[in-house]
């Protein structure tokens, strides 16, 4: 869509893990289209992936693979159930008490509506994610293959902006922090208050927001997460403004208009109106 221009790529959660894989494959193949990486609550090393590991072992993965083999995907409700169990007091029991026992229904807010917009996970993608990343940690140990050849995160040389959140039960911040041991590039790491969703969707002006931020240069010695947390600058407000400033420093001073929606001149026609036809499916 934007030929002959480098881009700033962004990935959130599993999308961030997939982006890291893609960036490593591009670096391996001398593809220089990326200018920077921003990874939001995204894990690249899964040895300390937190409470979700309670649900992931060989027997469970085999069970899920058998179930997905029959229907071709993991249903969104099945996935949501696992994440609810990670914070059962907040996402199951408090809701049951409020709605079932007290007869009170929470009013819908935009973040809750977005979080409820779940989707199915394709069989092959989910199987490889659980087995090759969670169980075997192939990506961090340079065994994960793209097009039948392994990729290494150490090949990535573009600047990285990595964001984590202090109360994240899906991607614990110390697990996200491990990227600083895996990529030989300048890494700006952010630890924001909030959880996996609210800590990321945290625009300026949101009350009671703060974050810590520090940049680890490629040629500097490793700093462990506890030492980082003790020394990193604490700032009040949203981390979004720090990200904006960081992106400006990585960019040229030339202001360009964004490409038209769908970029028809590049052969990418608009398919349909947002949010897409999938919302009409049963």
């Amino acid at each position: 869509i934007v030929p002959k221009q480098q881009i700033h790529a962004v990935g959130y959660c599993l999308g961030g893990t997939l982006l890291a894989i893609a960036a490593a494959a591009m670096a391996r193949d001398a593809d220089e289209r990326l200018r920077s990486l921003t990874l939001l609550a995204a894990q690249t090393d899964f040895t300390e992936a937190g409470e979700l590991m309670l649900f992931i072992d060989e027997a469970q993965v085999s069970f899920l693979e058998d179930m997905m083999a029959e229907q071709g995907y993991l249903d969104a409700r099945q996935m949501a159930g696992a994440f609810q169990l990670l914070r059962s007091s907040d996402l199951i029991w408090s809701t049951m008490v409020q709605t079932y026992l007290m007869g009170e229904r929470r009013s819908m807010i935009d973040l809750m509506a977005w979080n409820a917009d779940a989707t199915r996970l394709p069989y092959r993608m989910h199987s490889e994610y659980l087995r090759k990343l969670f169980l075997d940690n192939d990506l961090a140990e340079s065994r994960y293959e793209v097009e039948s050849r392994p990729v290494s995160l150490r090949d990535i040389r573009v600047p990285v902006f990595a964001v984590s959140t202090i109360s994240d039960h899906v991607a614990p911040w110390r697990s996200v922090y491990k990227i600083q041991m895996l990529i030989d590039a300048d890494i700006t790491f952010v630890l924001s208050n909030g959880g996996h969703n609210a800590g990321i969707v945290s625009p300026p002006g949101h009350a009671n927001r703060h974050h810590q931020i520090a940049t680890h240069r490629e040629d500097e010695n490793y700093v462990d997460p506890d030492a980082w947390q003790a020394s990193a600058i604490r700032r009040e407000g949203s981390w979004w403004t720090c990200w904006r400033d960081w992106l400006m420093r990585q960019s040229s001073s030339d202001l360009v208009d964004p490409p038209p929606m769908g970029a028809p001149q590049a052969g990418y026609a608009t398919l349909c109106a947002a949010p897409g036809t999938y919302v009409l499916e049963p």
Side-chain angles (χ1 to χ4, degrees):
I1 294 177
V2 284
K4 299 180 181 180
Q5 295 185 51
Q6 290 184 311
I7 64 170
H8 300 286
V10 185
Y12 180 19
C13 190
L14 171 57
T17 304
L18 296 176
L19 174 59
I21 293 172
M26 294 171 72
R28 177 198 65 187
D29 298 337
D31 185 333
E32 299 180 347
R33 285 178 292 172
L34 296 181
R35 181 66 188 87
S36 74
L37 294 180
T38 296
L39 306 177
L40 310 177
Q43 298 177 90
T44 48
D45 183 304
F46 291 82
T47 53
E48 297 181 79
E51 299 166 14
L52 193 59
M53 297 301 292
L54 296 172
F55 301 90
I56 305 298
D57 56 22
E58 178 63 38
Q60 180 66 10
V61 171
S62 296
F63 169 74
L64 288 171
E65 288 176 333
D66 290 342
M67 181 171 59
M68 291 188 296
E70 295 183 3
Q71 57 190 23
Y73 57 85
L74 182 73
D75 188 86
R77 291 172 297 178
Q78 295 166 324
M79 179 179 64
F83 285 108
Q84 287 175 339
L85 287 172
L86 295 181
R87 294 177 55 198
S88 58
S89 61
D90 296 328
L91 300 179
I92 297 178
W93 301 117
S94 64
T95 301
M96 291 294 292
V97 169
Q98 185 176 33
T99 59
Y100 182 73
L101 295 180
M102 302 180 67
E104 300 175 357
R105 187 172 298 277
R106 294 177 180 176
S107 57
M108 181 61 70
I109 61 175
D110 51 1
L111 188 61
M112 290 173 60
W114 171 71
N115 188 49
D117 187 17
T119 188
R120 300 167 178 170
L121 297 181
Y123 173 20
R124 180 180 172 185
M125 183 278 293
H126 195 224
S127 175
E128 288 196 11
Y129 183 65
L130 294 179
R131 186 172 296 282
K132 294 186 178 183
L133 299 181
F134 266 90
L135 284 186
D136 298 337
N137 207 32
D138 283 354
L139 178 60
E141 298 177 11
S142 301
R143 292 191 302 269
Y144 193 90
E145 293 187 351
V146 175
E147 297 181 337
S148 302
R149 291 188 295 149
V151 298
S152 174
L153 295 173
R154 295 193 182 279
D155 292 337
I156 298 174
R157 295 290 186 270
V158 298
V160 177
F161 193 91
V163 182
S164 62
T165 62
I166 194 72
S167 302
D168 197 328
H169 292 261
V170 178
W173 81 265
R174 285 180 173 81
S175 182
V176 176
Y177 186 88
K178 288 177 179 288
I179 193 172
Q180 303 210 47
M181 298 187 297
L182 300 174
I183 294 181
D184 292 330
D186 292 350
I187 299 178
T188 298
F189 191 82
V190 174
L191 177 60
S192 173
N193 69 324
H196 187 71
N197 294 334
I200 300 298
V201 185
S202 179
H206 196 295
N208 303 317
R209 289 300 180 196
H210 58 80
H211 60 279
Q212 291 179 269
I213 184 170
T215 297
H216 180 269
R217 302 298 178 185
E218 179 182 355
D219 57 355
E220 293 178 341
N221 293 334
Y222 172 74
V223 178
D224 70 83
D226 292 329
W228 182 94
Q229 189 178 25
S231 62
I233 298 173
R234 173 178 165 132
R235 297 182 177 179
E236 298 300 320
S238 170
W239 58 266
W240 287 21
T241 54
C242 293
W243 184 31
R244 177 202 60 198
D245 296 341
W246 181 85
L247 286 170
M248 291 180 66
R249 291 194 297 271
Q250 312 305 323
S251 305
S252 70
S253 58
D254 298 331
L255 297 179
V256 297
D257 293 329
M261 185 64 68
Q265 78 283 1
Y268 298 95
T270 303
L271 298 179
C272 59
T277 58
Y278 80 98
V279 297
L280 304 176
E281 296 176 3

